[in-house]
Amino acid sequence: MSAALTSFEPATGALLWQGTASDVEAEVALARAAWPKWAAQPIAYRIETLRRFVNVVRANEEALVDLIARETGKPLWDARTEVTAVMNKVDISVAAFSERTGQRRLEAAMGARQSVRHKPHGVMAVLGPYNFPAHLPNGHIVPALLAGNAVLFKPSEKTPAVGEMLVRCYHEAGVPEDAVRLVLGGPDEGKALAAHPDVGGVLFTGSAQTGIAINRQFAANPGKILALEMGGNNPIVAWDTADIASAATLIVQSAFLSSGQRCTAASRLIVKEELADTLVGEVKRLADRLIVDHPHADPAPYMGPVIDNQAADHLTESFLYLMSNGGKPIKHMVRTTKGLPFVTPAIIDVTAMAERPDVELFGPLLQVVRVPDFESAIREANNTRYGLSAALIGGSPEQYNQFWANIRAGIVNWNRPTNGASSSAPFGGVGISGNHRPSAYYAADYCAYPVASVEIEQPRASIGIGLKDIDTSAMGD
Ligand code: NAD
Ligand code: SIN
């Protein structure tokens, strides 16, 4: 019998959804059978179908916003930006498809034509995270379908309801039921999908720990495509600036938006020693004012709860760990509602800690490190195995150039937050944040492989060199 699955609203603890885990073998067989027909459709047909998907999402916008807010706990306004990103994805992916994986004609010898075209991989498994349960899987699914792949989408076991609704929208738009399949389950179903011989690749968004496990699983399968979008331990460096209020706002947005549950969230504020007291004081004053409440509350909160009690426990334990190992609390992390995963934004100065753990905390916990000079700031920012996003706040154009040139990250911003990445640009990280297959605008690249052909309608060939003369003496015998 299939395992029972449930999803609860983080903000209330109420049961939101229940279902059962999917039969992976059966789902793969359906997608495998549907793939050739979907791949054979003209690209104009696939584009039109996905444009209808946008209309379906628009028609269901409020319901999807509400469901995302309920299932993740993020405020309604935050969920609304996620749904907007879902709708914008189609036009962006159509442009990326044609720019990055469209057809090209090249000159070839002897009147032949040389073409570069792209083919889909086949059946792709998309494994989604819980923090953006619609936008991030959609960021793989839309380009994969556009390129002619069939898709098996396994949402996070923490957000199956949003995953189910997203797949309903593709089907309602006319994507064949078997060309995009919902696979419900957790790590076991994820592993089974990745291991299946009829799955041509895995498009993954989630933690580095899981991504590395899948990478290991793929070691003997170099022919399978693997796109890993993983976590971060992202630095925000604050340097000389006259506008302390704006600097503090950018730091608060980077660290606490979506309760810090963004892969691009800033978890380390690296600040010039002389500026630290003033700036950190301002960050604390602003963080003290952030409303942490139910996603539907009025007035609207800045942050909702984190995803579940386990995540909230992990965050409060991490704060205590930092404190008992030399960290100096600036703003304590508080569980505001018994039994529910609401935590307040927290700030801790870890400058004096001998060894700072290089882990992704994935919550509203900002660690402060004071440094004496700009070179130390860059060194400290790079002091991580991750490399997703980084930002410099303040500083001169020369310092930004130095920062840009020396920081190891896939997203490097100046006087903008570390998060809120654009879908119109590539999105990926280095180190253990990714495997050099960035998503967003560059997702087209991993959804199809290039085929180079030299073509002419009739065979026409001669060997010009290295042949013996024809022996005419034997002729006529
Ligand atoms: P997770 O790694 O726990 O799970 C992600 C998905 O992988 C889920 O669907 C899960 O069921 C599945 N899974 C778990 N173990 C598996 C295994 N061994 N084999 C195959 N599949 C498996 O991640 P999460 O906690 O849901 O999401 C939060 C993480 O995602 C954070 O680390 C965050 O930084 C990261 N994230 C990265 C990006 C990015 O684009 N770089 C974006 C959003 C979130
Ligand atoms: C995320 O994908 O978790 C965050 C995207 C962003 O805000 O940059």
Side-chain angles (χ1 to χ4, degrees):
M1 217 178 71
S2 303
L5 301 171
T6 43
S7 152
F8 297 90
E9 291 186 32
T12 61
L15 179 68
L16 178 71
W17 178 97
Q18 50 192 335
T20 51
S22 303
D23 176 342
V24 170
E25 198 59 44
E27 293 300 331
V28 174
L30 290 172
R32 182 67 190 77
W35 168 54
K37 190 164 173 209
W38 177 249
Q41 295 289 0
I43 178 65
Y45 176 86
R46 294 200 298 269
I47 291 176
E48 195 189 307
T49 310
L50 289 166
R51 291 214 160 114
R52 276 204 303 274
F53 161 74
V54 178
N55 293 336
V56 173
V57 173
R58 192 168 289 117
N60 291 280
E61 186 170 351
E62 285 314 304
L64 185 55
V65 166
D66 180 68
L67 189 61
I68 291 172
R70 282 185 198 285
E71 198 166 42
T72 63
K74 63 174 79 168
L76 276 180
W77 60 266
D78 199 358
R80 186 160 284 114
T81 63
E82 175 163 2
V83 176
T84 303
V86 167
M87 293 189 282
N88 290 343
K89 180 59 68 178
V90 171
D91 276 348
I92 289 171
S93 303
V94 170
F97 175 85
S98 103
E99 186 187 312
R100 300 193 62 79
T101 49
Q103 295 190 25
R104 270 197 312 139
R105 274 282 148 78
L106 307 169
E107 288 299 316
M110 298 176 67
R113 58 174 184 253
Q114 193 178 166
S115 312
V116 178
R117 284 168 287 200
H118 293 79
K119 288 190 187 184
H121 296 286
V123 177
M124 306 297 278
V126 171
L127 306 179
Y130 66 78
N131 67 323
F132 276 94
H135 166 50
L136 289 171
N138 187 62
H140 295 301
I141 295 170
V142 167
L145 288 174
L146 203 55
N149 300 280
V151 170
L152 294 153
F153 166 37
K154 196 199 79 56
S156 161
E157 59 279 20
K158 295 176 182 170
T159 52
V162 173
E164 187 181 70
M165 182 163 180
L166 190 67
V167 171
R168 247 195 338 266
C169 292
Y170 299 120
H171 291 164
E172 206 178 304
V175 180
E177 297 236 332
D178 293 343
V180 59
R181 302 290 308 166
L182 177 70
V183 179
L184 292 167
D188 287 347
E189 286 69 21
K191 276 186 223 164
L193 283 171
H196 202 289
D198 282 343
V199 170
V202 170
L203 311 181
F204 169 81
T205 308
S207 62
Q209 192 190 359
T210 306
I212 290 167
I214 302 172
N215 196 40
R216 208 172 281 132
Q217 198 182 341
F218 272 29
N221 274 307
K224 287 198 184 196
I225 194 94
L226 177 61
L228 297 175
E229 316 305 331
M230 301 184 281
N233 182 13
N234 308 302
I236 187 161
V237 172
W239 223 247
D240 299 312
T241 173
D243 192 345
I244 293 292
S246 293
T249 303
L250 291 166
I251 292 162
V252 163
Q253 284 175 353
S254 300
F256 303 134
L257 188 66
S258 307
S259 303
Q261 297 171 116
R262 291 199 178 207
C263 55
T264 46
S267 39
R268 297 179 293 137
L269 167 61
I270 296 157
V271 56
K272 186 178 184 178
E273 178 69 64
E274 291 96 309
L275 191 69
D277 285 345
T278 314
L279 180 62
V280 174
E282 191 65 24
V283 171
K284 179 182 180 312
R285 270 188 293 282
L286 191 53
D288 281 340
R289 291 175 52 207
L290 297 179
I291 301 172
V292 183
D293 204 345
H294 191 286
H296 296 74
D298 183 13
Y302 186 79
M303 289 167 36
V306 294
I307 191 71
D308 56 21
N309 283 321
Q310 200 186 347
D313 290 346
H314 175 65
L315 286 161
T316 46
E317 281 157 18
S318 300
F319 191 85
L320 286 177
Y321 175 86
L322 295 174
M323 231 172 82
S324 48
N325 284 276
K328 208 169 104 207
I330 294 166
K331 180 170 164 52
H332 281 269
M333 179 170 278
V334 178
R335 295 279 296 260
T336 58
T337 316
K338 196 163 179 288
L340 293 173
F342 288 95
V343 292
T344 56
I347 308 170
I348 186 161
D349 189 327
V350 294
T351 312
M353 274 183 80
E355 295 217 357
R356 301 182 199 110
D358 179 21
V359 292
E360 182 187 43
L361 293 169
F362 215 54
L365 203 176
L366 181 64
Q367 299 159 79
V368 177
V369 182
R370 297 162 183 251
V371 288
D373 52 55
F374 202 62
E375 284 67 30
S376 311
I378 291 178
R379 211 167 30 249
E380 190 58 47
N382 279 335
N383 189 15
T384 171
R385 295 161 302 156
Y386 292 90
L388 190 54
S389 69
L392 172 66
I393 309 297
S396 64
E398 292 71 29
Q399 281 171 325
Y400 177 61
N401 287 343
Q402 188 185 347
F403 183 77
W404 193 94
N406 289 287
I407 284 292
R408 276 186 302 103
I411 295 155
V412 180
N413 293 340
W414 189 24
N415 289 321
R416 300 307 303 152
T418 52
N419 50 20
S422 159
S423 298
S424 304
F427 181 70
V430 295
I432 59 168
S433 293
N435 67 338
H436 298 283
R437 293 202 186 276
S439 192
Y441 200 73
Y442 282 11
D445 299 29
Y446 58 65
C447 289
Y449 65 95
V451 178
S453 311
V454 182
E455 298 155 334
I456 191 163
E457 285 187 10
Q458 296 294 331
R460 180 152 41 92
S462 60
I463 296 179
I465 198 163
L467 290 186
K468 289 183 190 158
D469 286 341
I470 296 170
D471 183 0
T472 48
S473 63
M475 283 184 176
D477 285 353

